[in-house]
Amino acid sequence: DTGVSQDPRHKITKRGQNVTFRCDPISEHNRLYWYRQTLGQGPEFLTYFQNEAQLEKSRLLSDRFSAERPKGSFSTLEIQRTEQGDSAMYLCASSLGPHRNTEAFFGQGTRLTVV
Amino acid sequence: AQTVTQSQPEMSVQEAETVTLSCTYDTSESDYYLFWYKQPPSRQMILVIRQEAYKQQNATENRFSVNFQKAAKSFSLKISDSQLGDAAMYFCAYRGATNKLIFGTGTLLAVQP
């Protein structure tokens, strides 16, 4: 297994366009997390899945953001009508539940630039 | 709501010396876990060390150790015999009942040769 994979690594889009990011977790990891990281800040939680169920969403996840994890495998994060404030690094992480002390493995992230 | 605070935006250490990165947190939960993650430039975040709140013994992983003071809600990371490869952003993180990781703002560590 090569770890958590995110695609694309970089995305430049015009304001108002829709973008979709993909995350492939480590096989058999039942938990998958999305975070957003802006320059000089720590990652901020967006949402998390246990298998295919989306169990929690941050208030940061406005109605322009939607995430899915069909069949409990890969996940997609879509941002509709992008705004300049959406420019950030979007990180995906996965872990093997149910214990809370298990390590979360992170992908390299997708850097989004909205122009 | 839980919060994690890292008050040192940047730190510097000489190669082979020891450095301590500070972290404080706030929570009303009694059962939680604390982590230090390392984020090298342009590379993914990796786990350095973890601490379970119910364990009094401080965690140690090779050159990395923590000073966990539960009553003070303090969780510092000590790096001994610093190496050039230790240069990175370090994040302190909390995981409680909600399962999500809550991160601090990070400390950028520079290692001087």
Side-chain angles (χ1 to χ4, degrees):
Chain A
D1 198 329
T2 56
V4 178
S5 176
Q6 292 189 246
D7 184 69
R9 293 287 308 281
H10 303 273
K11 177 72 176 178
I12 300 174
T13 191
K14 292 184 178 179
R15 191 176 53 185
Q17 297 294 305
N18 299 343
V19 294
T20 300
F21 311 141
R22 178 180 171 122
C23 171
D24 286 273
I26 293 172
S27 300
E28 298 175 357
H29 276 193
N30 57 340
R31 291 182 177 162
L32 186 147
Y33 305 81
W34 285 100
Y35 287 83
R36 181 173 69 186
Q37 186 178 20
T38 53
L39 200 61
Q41 298 296 318
E44 295 175 296
F45 171 78
L46 292 179
T47 188
Y48 115 81
F49 293 84
Q50 180 154 310
N51 300 312
E52 66 275 12
Q54 189 172 19
L55 295 188
E56 187 174 350
K57 292 193 296 185
S58 165
R59 56 182 170 79
L60 294 174
L61 213 66
S62 74
D63 56 6
R64 296 186 298 107
F65 288 70
S66 62
E68 295 182 340
R69 192 183 182 197
K71 303 179 183 178
S73 55
F74 71 92
S75 176
T76 58
L77 178 68
E78 181 183 16
I79 309 174
Q80 296 182 329
R81 305 182 303 280
T82 51
E83 301 172 356
Q84 286 190 322
D86 296 331
S87 295
M89 177 76 84
Y90 290 83
L91 298 172
C92 176
S94 70
S95 68
L96 188 60
H99 301 294
R100 285 176 286 138
N101 66 338
T102 55
E103 179 177 355
F105 292 83
F106 283 80
Q108 290 191 284
T110 294
R111 182 168 295 283
L112 173 67
T113 302
V114 182
V115 298
Chain B
Q2 295 81 29
T3 58
V4 177
T5 302
Q6 294 180 251
S7 58
Q8 305 157 315
E10 296 181 14
M11 291 284 284
S12 183
V13 63
Q14 292 291 128
E15 202 174 359
E17 297 294 308
T18 295
V19 65
T20 298
L21 308 184
S22 301
C23 172
T24 58
Y25 60 94
D26 190 26
T27 184
S28 58
E29 296 177 322
S30 58
D31 183 20
Y32 53 88
Y33 299 85
L34 298 164
F35 305 82
W36 278 97
Y37 276 87
K38 171 185 178 181
Q39 188 176 41
S42 302
R43 297 184 63 185
Q44 67 255 58
M45 203 153 356
I46 56 174
L47 179 66
V48 174
I49 197 165
R50 81 191 87 186
Q51 175 78 41
E52 296 163 358
Y54 65 86
K55 287 189 177 179
Q56 292 187 332
Q57 187 173 6
N58 289 324
T60 299
E61 289 286 345
N62 301 315
R63 298 182 296 107
F64 299 88
S65 61
V66 299
N67 183 3
F68 173 48
Q69 301 290 325
K70 190 172 184 179
K73 294 179 182 173
S74 170
F75 182 61
S76 60
L77 174 69
K78 185 171 82 171
I79 306 174
S80 304
D81 186 25
S82 296
Q83 301 176 359
L84 295 177
D86 294 333
M89 183 73 86
Y90 286 82
F91 292 100
C92 178
Y94 171 102
R95 179 187 274 166
T98 61
N99 267 308
K100 64 190 179 190
L101 283 166
I102 300 169
F103 288 89
T105 52
T107 297
L108 182 62
L109 178 66
V111 181
Q112 308 299 329

